[in-house]
């Protein structure tokens, strides 16, 4: 049994071998190759061309399967091996991807979706800032949407039950007072209208009386002239 030193003691990339399943997990199965102490992972996406929900649907512990080495990486102090079962015919061990086109595409896809924790952008600095324009937290002053001028706050809605109760509790004495006030107002309006009508009538009578006087004067003047000529 050889111990791997870096990547030198590991199986060559894109090589095909038959190994034993030593552990089955939901996300995949670990396979150990003869002559190597290091185990490799066959992910559920590399077990079959069709979708696989769990590795236990395909393999069991102690089962021997054909694999193809599609990845060899050193992550810190650990060495990671990636195997593929769908790239090899499980009956004959024939390579179904001799040009390694599918293996390269899968490797490229894994790199795109890899968790880059160290390169993540956090918004803590933005969330902890206080806007000097509105005084709120969570945004810069240049990104503030508050308009200059007075700021208004919403007031809680008042209950409409109290005024309704007040209006409903009206004594009969208050009703009689209201009716009296209305009658007084009506009388005042009637008196105003009657006084206005009487004034108009008196003016008309005066005008007619003045006209009668003028007519009488004119007639007298004419008679006086006629007597002088005679």
């Amino acid at each position: 049994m050889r111990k791997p030193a870096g990547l030198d003691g590991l199986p060559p990339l894109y090589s095909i071998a038959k190994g034993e399943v030593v552990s089955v997990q939901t996300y995949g199965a670990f396979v150990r190759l003869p002559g190597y102490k290091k185990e490799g992972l066959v992910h559920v996406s590399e077990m079959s061309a069709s979708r696989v929900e769990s590795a236990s649907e395909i393999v069991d512990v102690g089962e021997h399967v054909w694999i193809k080495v599609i990845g060899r990486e050193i992550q810190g102090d650990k060495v990671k091996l990636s195997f593929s079962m769908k790239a090899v015919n499980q009956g004959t061990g024939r390579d179904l991807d001799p040009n390694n086109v599918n293996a390269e595409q899968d490797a490229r896809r894994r790199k795109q979706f890899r968790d880059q924790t160290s390169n993540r952008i956090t918004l803590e600095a933005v969330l902890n800032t206080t806007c000097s324009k509105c005084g709120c937290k969570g945004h810069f002053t240049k990104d503030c949407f508050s308009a200059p001028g007075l700021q208004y706050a919403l007031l809680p809605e008042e209950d409409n039950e109290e005024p309704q109760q007040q209006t409903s509790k009206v004594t009969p004495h208050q009703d009689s007072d209201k009716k009296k006030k209305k009658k007084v107002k009506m009388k005042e309006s009637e008196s105003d209208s009657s006084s206005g009508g009487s004034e108009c009538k008196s003016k008309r009578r005066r005008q007619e009386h003045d006209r009668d006087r003028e007519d009488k004067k004119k007639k007298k003047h004419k008679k006086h002239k006629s007597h002088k000529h005679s």
Side-chain angles (χ1 to χ4, degrees):
M1 299 293 292
R2 293 179 297 172
K3 293 182 180 181
L7 297 177
D8 297 334
L10 298 177
L13 191 63
Y14 303 131
S15 61
I16 295 176
K18 196 170 187 178
E20 180 183 0
V21 179
V22 295
S23 176
V24 178
Q25 305 294 332
T26 306
Y27 54 87
F30 289 93
V31 178
R32 183 182 298 167
L33 298 180
Y36 299 94
K37 188 176 181 181
K38 183 64 180 175
E39 301 168 359
L41 173 65
V42 181
H43 195 263
V44 288
S45 60
E46 295 293 338
M47 286 188 170
S48 175
S50 59
R51 182 178 178 83
V52 179
E53 296 293 337
S54 178
S56 59
E57 300 176 2
I58 305 296
V59 296
D60 292 326
V61 177
E63 186 178 355
H64 290 78
V65 295
W66 288 97
I67 59 93
K68 182 176 184 178
V69 182
I70 60 173
R72 303 192 313 169
E73 299 180 15
I74 298 177
Q75 297 180 352
D77 298 335
K78 297 181 179 180
V79 179
K80 182 179 179 181
L81 291 175
S82 299
F83 298 156
S84 175
M85 290 174 56
K86 68 180 182 180
V88 185
N89 189 325
Q90 295 299 315
T92 61
R94 184 173 61 88
D95 191 354
L96 301 178
D97 185 23
N99 296 323
N100 303 319
V101 176
N102 295 331
E104 291 177 357
Q105 289 179 353
D106 292 341
R108 196 178 300 113
R109 195 179 298 111
R110 285 194 300 271
K111 288 181 180 179
Q112 290 177 357
F113 291 97
R114 189 175 297 169
D115 185 11
Q116 303 290 342
T117 307
S118 59
N119 297 330
R120 280 183 185 173
I121 300 175
T122 59
L123 299 177
E124 294 179 358
V126 177
L127 295 174
N128 291 334
T129 56
T130 302
C131 177
S132 60
K133 186 176 180 181
C134 64
C136 298
K137 293 184 178 181
H139 62 272
F140 292 114
T141 305
K142 63 179 182 179
D143 300 328
C144 184
F145 292 98
S146 63
L150 296 175
Q151 295 183 358
Y152 299 93
L154 295 175
L155 295 176
E157 296 182 357
E158 296 180 354
D159 296 334
N160 297 326
E161 297 179 357
E162 294 181 358
Q164 290 178 359
Q165 293 175 358
Q166 292 177 359
T167 54
S168 62
K169 294 180 179 179
V170 179
T171 59
H173 181 67
Q174 292 177 352
D175 289 337
S176 60
D177 292 340
K178 288 182 180 179
K179 290 180 181 179
K180 289 179 181 178
K181 289 180 181 178
K182 287 183 180 179
K183 288 181 179 178
V184 171
K185 287 183 180 179
M186 291 293 290
K187 288 181 179 179
E188 290 178 355
S189 61
E190 288 176 357
S191 62
D192 292 339
S193 60
S194 61
S195 61
S198 59
E199 288 178 359
C200 293
K201 289 179 181 179
S202 60
K203 285 181 180 179
R204 288 176 185 175
R205 288 176 183 174
R206 288 175 186 174
Q207 290 176 358
E208 290 175 356
H209 186 67
D210 293 337
R211 287 176 185 175
D212 292 337
R213 281 183 179 179
E214 289 178 357
D215 292 337
K216 288 179 180 180
K217 287 180 180 179
K218 287 179 181 179
K219 287 179 181 180
K220 287 181 181 180
H221 186 65
K222 285 180 181 180
K223 287 180 180 180
H224 183 67
K225 283 183 178 182
S226 61
H227 285 300
K228 282 184 179 181
H229 286 295
S230 60

